[in-house]
Amino acid sequence: QQKVQQSPESLIVPEGGMASLNCTSSDRNVDYFWWYRQHSGKSPKMLMSIFSNGEKEEGRFTVHLNKASLHTSLHIRDSQPSDSALYLCAASDNNRIFFGDGTQLVVKP
Amino acid sequence: DAGVTQTPRHEVAEKGQTIILKCEPVSGHNDLFWYRQTKIQGLELLSYFRSKSLMEDGGAFKDRFKAEMLNSSFSTLKIQPTEPKDSAVYLCASSWDNNERLFFGHGTKLSVL
């Protein structure tokens, strides 16, 4: 069932730095991608979505999508300690929604 | 804030017991998902309903896991019989449709002794 792969497993960045997270699907039926953020002890909450090729920016967060390679990436600039969380990539094949194992991000003050 | 409501928040069961987890989706949402989350396996899809119809029955989870949605505002996940390896957080999520964001409940933390 592992249709979504994320890298790296964990990432440590200094406060104010740039964090870059990757996600690829092995299922050619996938056509929608989301990024969710899950703080420790909480449930996941959607951060950003991307359905078309290209780039989308919201504040300090930017997502890229290459539909040909089924690869999406999330970039967080000016990282803050409050960004420390598990970042989950999700993909939909227009029926089910699958999640990757996540990237654990730690932003050190 | 009428989000997704899950009960109970915590459940402790003895091996072999039957437990039932409950979920109330966001009012008006058509899609409902059950996931299991562990540190080792991450988020695993257990069941998926669209407009109360079962679309995904969990594959490897079929034998002891049964999700039902008798009406559009209530779903249950039954685990029978429970095993220690079922210890995990069970998350329920809902959305308008599968191309929209998921809203998650707080989850039920299950411990099987």
Side-chain angles (χ1 to χ4, degrees), chain A residues 12-61:
Chain A
I12 300 174
V13 299
E15 183 174 356
M18 171 76 87
S20 295
L21 293 69
N22 297 292
C23 171
T24 303
S25 176
S26 56
D27 185 346
R28 300 257 17 130
N29 293 316
V30 160
D31 52 8
Y32 292 90
F33 288 89
W34 294 265
W35 285 93
Y36 285 76
R37 182 165 72 178
Q38 185 177 24
H39 285 106
S40 181
K42 304 291 186 183
S43 56
K45 284 188 167 49
M46 195 199 76
L47 196 58
M48 292 186 73
S49 60
I50 188 159
F51 306 146
S52 305
N53 267 329
E55 179 181 298
K56 184 174 170 182
E57 182 178 329
E58 290 180 5
R60 297 183 294 109
F61 299 87

Side-chain angles (χ1 to χ4, degrees), chain A residues 1 32 34 36 38 43-44 46 51 86 88 92 94-99 101, chain B residues 33 35 37 41-45 48 50 55-56 98-102 104-105:
Chain A
Q1 202 186 59
Y32 292 90
W34 294 265
Y36 285 76
Q38 185 177 24
S43 56
M46 195 199 76
F51 306 146
L86 180 67
L88 295 160
S92 168
N94 204 35
N95 198 11
R96 302 161 292 179
I97 299 177
F98 295 100
F99 284 83
D101 288 342
Chain B
F33 298 79
Y35 290 93
Q37 187 174 33
Q41 299 291 341
L43 267 165
E44 299 171 285
L45 179 64
Y48 161 45
R50 173 175 289 169
M55 307 296 288
E56 171 70 33
N98 70 326
N99 296 329
E100 296 289 330
R101 60 185 284 185
L102 291 178
F104 283 86

Side-chain angles (χ1 to χ4, degrees), chain B residues 26-94:
Chain B
V26 174
S27 179
H29 279 187
N30 294 313
D31 285 9
L32 185 140
F33 298 79
W34 282 99
Y35 290 93
R36 179 170 81 173
Q37 187 174 33
T38 60
K39 283 205 185 313
I40 296 173
Q41 299 291 341
L43 267 165
E44 299 171 285
L45 179 64
L46 302 176
S47 287
Y48 161 45
F49 292 89
R50 173 175 289 169
S51 300
K52 299 186 295 178
S53 296
L54 182 64
M55 307 296 288
E56 171 70 33
D57 62 3
F61 296 96
K62 282 171 70 171
D63 59 344
R64 296 183 299 108
F65 291 71
K66 184 180 173 68
E68 290 186 315
M69 194 162 188
L70 298 179
N71 62 60
S72 59
S73 58
F74 185 70
S75 176
T76 58
L77 176 67
K78 180 193 288 187
I79 309 175
Q80 178 183 38
T82 52
E83 297 181 6
K85 65 180 179 181
D86 299 332
S87 298
V89 175
Y90 289 80
L91 290 163
C92 178
S94 69

